[in-house]
Amino acid sequence: MSDLKRIKSALISVYYKDKLADIVAKLKEFGVKIYSTGGTKSFIEELGVEVTAVEDLTTYPSILGGRVKTLHPKVFGGILARRDNESDQKQMEQYAIPEIDLVIVDLYPFEETVASGAPDGDIIEKIDIGGISLIRAAAKNFNDVIIVPSVEYYQDLLNLLNEKNGESSLDDRRSFAKKAFAVSSHYDSAIYKYFAGDDKGLFRESYNGASVLRYGENPHQQGIFYGNLEQMFDQLHGKEISYNNLLDIDAAISLIDEFDETTVAILKHNNACGCASRTDLVKAWQDALAGDPVSAYGGVIVTNRVIDKVTAEEMNKIFFEVVIAPGFGEGALDILQTKKNRIILLRKEITLPKVQYRTVLNGVLFQDKDQKKEKKEELTPVTKLAPSAAQIEDLLFANKLVKNSKSNSIVLARGKQLIASGIGETSRVDALKHAIEKAHNFEFDLAGAVMASDAFFPFADCVEIAHGEGVDCVIHPGGSIRDKDSVEFCDAHNMAMAVTGFRHFKH
């Protein structure tokens, strides 16, 4: 037995009417009886298509300023009635309830109204009641009814009407029902978040849009990005962005947003392997690359300035996977696009979330993003020798990098250039030794460099080792019961130290 059903009647009640005209014309072509309300009814009439007012069906007018229009047994009965249920059909006949085979709804724009800064009264009026009820009713009865829950799916319906000449299969109806519950659950989550405000008593997050990635971190893992990357970037060139690319891109954006002055950073596996702040962009690139030209291979480049042709020419001398910038000057794109797969992202202005989530065990962890940016006036010198103005600039530079590196981490910097870092180590001493080894590998002299740590020094050993390499200034959060050991060593060896009071662990 065929599960195809012909659409004979439709109820249309929408907020956005864009692209609705083609659907109405197609329904007219198939002889579908149309019911509608308010502005949607007027829109359909202006198209020259016959339409029956819901008020004529229910014999009740729209009341309470439009709050109650479709909430009536003659509407919901026609949607929820099971066509193969004898009892339902008898009651339909008894109460003169017509069957409704297609429901098209587009909800009041609640999220847009909240985002606009509208007053509470206006926001409350944009909580759709009738529309959300129609969506749930029609989706529940997908065996017999098609539900189109948003303007986003108008084209899907039009394609179905054209392909199947006004009929639908059970799979078609079930697919639209799935979309409907996605729309209704997202809508309700947005309303909950509005009422909850800063109350995090319950976890409710919903993202529309899913981009299926080639795979996850590894080829045997599935990967999907939920969200809308087009709000964040214009991809001007290159291959499809991967799961690992996205992790690196996220880390790159978090790091570059720490800096106001002209800065270039190079990242590999979510950590900076090169970074420099300069007055000149090409010089910032050259000094960032000098920090670790080996790790830069295949990395992600990010800058907070428009990339000019000269800088693009220098960048193009090495292989890298992704470059992110707020703009590209004349001739720069032509140079960077010479590599077919290179991902080139033009960053857009957008407000990013201030919170983070992570699945752990059988639940979800929540935290505020670490958005603390230490300023020079917030540093507390704890040694007899206070850091100089130039050292303070380097301390703040290094602290931004260590904050955005995997713990345990140590950063060595001088002249607003990342010299080397030790990252992701189980021991802070090992992190420092790794950083020193890298600095030596690239022939950096550590005399006059500064050292930053993402957490306090439980012992003076790191300070002692750093001093032996020529480091003469240190920044860390402080807070160890042995802080005085490190301070005493610094005082005895003419080193300067400042504490921030803020730890920056990153896992």
Side-chain angles (χ1 to χ4, degrees):
M1 182 177 177
S2 173
D3 62 4
L4 287 175
K5 290 184 179 289
R6 177 161 291 281
I7 300 170
K8 299 176 183 177
S9 58
L11 171 62
I12 307 176
S13 180
V14 301
Y15 188 86
Y16 289 116
K17 299 163 185 66
D18 300 341
K19 304 178 183 178
L20 185 62
D22 291 341
I23 292 174
V24 171
K26 186 59 66 172
L27 294 177
K28 178 184 178 182
E29 178 185 326
F30 292 135
V32 175
K33 183 175 181 62
I34 299 175
Y35 300 94
S36 192
T37 63
T40 307
K41 174 178 172 290
S42 299
F43 175 82
I44 295 171
E45 287 174 333
E46 289 171 5
L47 296 173
V49 176
E50 185 177 347
V51 56
T52 298
V54 167
E55 293 87 345
D56 292 341
L57 172 63
T58 64
T59 69
Y60 274 86
S62 172
I63 60 174
L64 307 182
R67 283 189 165 198
V68 180
K69 290 182 283 192
T70 58
L71 296 169
H72 193 278
K74 282 206 170 184
V75 174
F76 282 85
I79 295 169
L80 286 164
R82 292 159 289 188
R83 290 5 177 207
D84 59 356
N85 184 289
E86 185 176 348
S87 176
D88 284 6
Q89 292 304 305
K90 284 183 179 179
Q91 289 184 322
M92 295 279 283
E93 183 176 353
Q94 177 183 356
Y95 296 109
I97 300 174
E99 293 178 349
I100 297 174
D101 306 316
L102 167 65
V103 176
I104 304 175
V105 176
D106 187 59
L107 299 171
Y108 292 158
F110 178 81
E111 288 181 282
E112 293 91 329
T113 305
V114 173
S116 73
D120 285 350
D122 292 349
I123 292 172
I124 296 303
E125 289 308 310
K126 286 297 185 289
I127 298 177
D128 206 313
I129 303 301
I132 205 79
S133 301
L134 290 170
I135 287 174
R136 292 179 62 83
K140 177 176 180 176
N141 200 24
F142 68 89
N143 275 318
D144 299 301
V145 179
I146 302 176
I147 172 62
V148 180
S150 165
V151 62
E152 181 181 351
Y153 302 114
Y154 287 1
Q155 188 60 49
D156 291 349
L157 174 64
L158 190 59
N159 293 341
L160 177 65
L161 293 173
N162 286 324
E163 290 168 8
K164 296 188 176 176
N165 295 313
E167 293 184 324
S168 68
S169 69
L170 182 60
D171 285 346
D172 295 327
R173 297 188 293 276
R174 189 181 185 93
S175 176
F176 276 102
K178 177 184 70 175
K179 296 179 175 72
F181 285 118
V183 168
S184 65
S185 62
H186 179 82
Y187 196 79
D188 284 340
S189 293
I191 295 170
Y192 165 77
K193 289 174 70 176
Y194 166 73
F195 278 98
D198 293 330
D199 180 3
K200 301 297 188 298
L202 298 172
F203 181 75
R204 295 288 184 275
E205 281 298 322
S206 176
Y207 289 90
N208 284 329
S211 301
V212 177
L213 308 173
R214 289 175 308 208
Y215 50 79
E217 282 187 287
N218 301 292
H220 61 275
Q221 295 172 271
Q222 184 183 20
I224 300 173
F225 174 76
Y226 294 100
N228 186 356
L229 278 179
E230 291 182 0
Q231 292 179 341
M232 182 89 195
F233 305 107
D234 283 331
Q235 182 169 351
L236 305 179
H237 185 73
K239 63 183 179 181
E240 177 186 342
I241 298 174
S242 71
Y243 184 101
N244 290 327
N245 288 152
L246 286 171
L247 292 177
D248 283 333
I249 291 167
D250 179 66
I253 293 300
S254 295
L255 175 57
I256 202 66
D257 282 354
E258 300 277 352
F259 297 93
D260 295 320
E261 57 193 311
T262 301
T263 301
V264 175
I266 308 168
L267 287 87
K268 197 76 170 288
H269 298 294
N270 311 157
N271 295 288
C273 58
C275 186
S277 295
R278 298 289 182 265
T279 55
D280 182 62
L281 184 63
V282 70
K283 183 61 175 171
W285 160 251
Q286 291 167 340
D287 289 347
L289 179 62
D292 187 348
V294 174
S295 295
Y297 182 88
V300 171
I301 300 170
V302 63
T303 181
N304 53 6
R305 296 293 186 270
V306 173
I307 295 178
D308 54 59
K309 184 178 180 181
V310 173
T311 305
E313 287 173 340
E314 291 298 310
M315 288 178 172
N316 203 45
K317 292 177 180 178
I318 72 162
F319 168 73
F320 57 89
E321 285 213 349
V322 182
V323 58
I324 310 163
F328 297 88
E330 184 177 355
L333 267 183
D334 292 336
I335 294 167
L336 295 172
Q337 288 174 339
T338 56
K339 300 295 188 291
K340 182 178 69 172
N341 290 327
R342 179 179 288 158
I343 297 168
I344 302 176
L345 299 177
L346 176 66
R347 186 178 178 184
K348 299 178 181 178
E349 289 292 332
I350 183 175
T351 301
L352 294 172
K354 297 181 180 180
V355 297
Q356 293 175 313
Y357 309 105
R358 173 184 267 179
T359 58
V360 173
L361 301 176
N362 62 339
V364 176
L365 279 175
F366 161 89
Q367 70 170 354
D368 296 319
K369 280 187 177 179
D370 185 357
Q371 295 186 302
K372 176 61 183 175
K373 295 182 181 181
E374 286 83 357
K375 302 174 183 178
K376 61 182 180 181
E377 56 268 24
E378 295 175 314
L379 303 187
T380 303
V382 292
T383 48
K384 294 177 182 177
L385 178 65
S388 68
Q391 285 175 326
I392 288 175
E393 292 296 313
D394 278 349
L395 290 177
L396 293 172
F397 175 89
N399 199 59
K400 292 171 182 177
L401 286 163
V402 83
K403 169 187 169 184
N404 287 276
S405 300
K406 298 291 185 183
S407 300
N408 288 314
S409 58
I410 292 286
V411 164
L412 302 175
R414 183 179 56 234
K416 297 183 183 178
Q417 178 188 22
L418 172 60
I419 293 177
S421 60
I423 53 178
E425 297 285 357
T426 54
S427 159
R428 198 158 302 282
V429 172
D430 286 344
L432 174 57
K433 289 180 177 179
H434 184 200
I436 292 170
E437 180 184 2
K438 288 190 70 174
H440 290 169
N441 287 344
F442 297 110
E443 300 182 349
F444 279 103
D445 182 357
L446 290 174
V450 304
M451 176 173 69
S453 173
D454 61 341
F456 62 65
F457 297 110
F459 304 97
D461 46 9
C462 283
V463 178
E464 295 169 4
I465 294 169
H467 169 70
E469 295 292 331
V471 173
D472 59 9
C473 195
V474 179
I475 186 171
H476 70 121
S480 168
I481 59 174
R482 292 187 175 90
D483 274 355
K484 66 180 182 60
D485 295 346
S486 296
V487 173
E488 288 174 358
F489 181 88
C490 288
D491 284 340
H493 294 84
N494 205 35
M495 295 177 68
M497 177 181 285
V499 299
T500 66
F502 291 92
R503 189 180 70 187
H504 292 297
F505 274 169
K506 184 180 179 185
H507 294 96

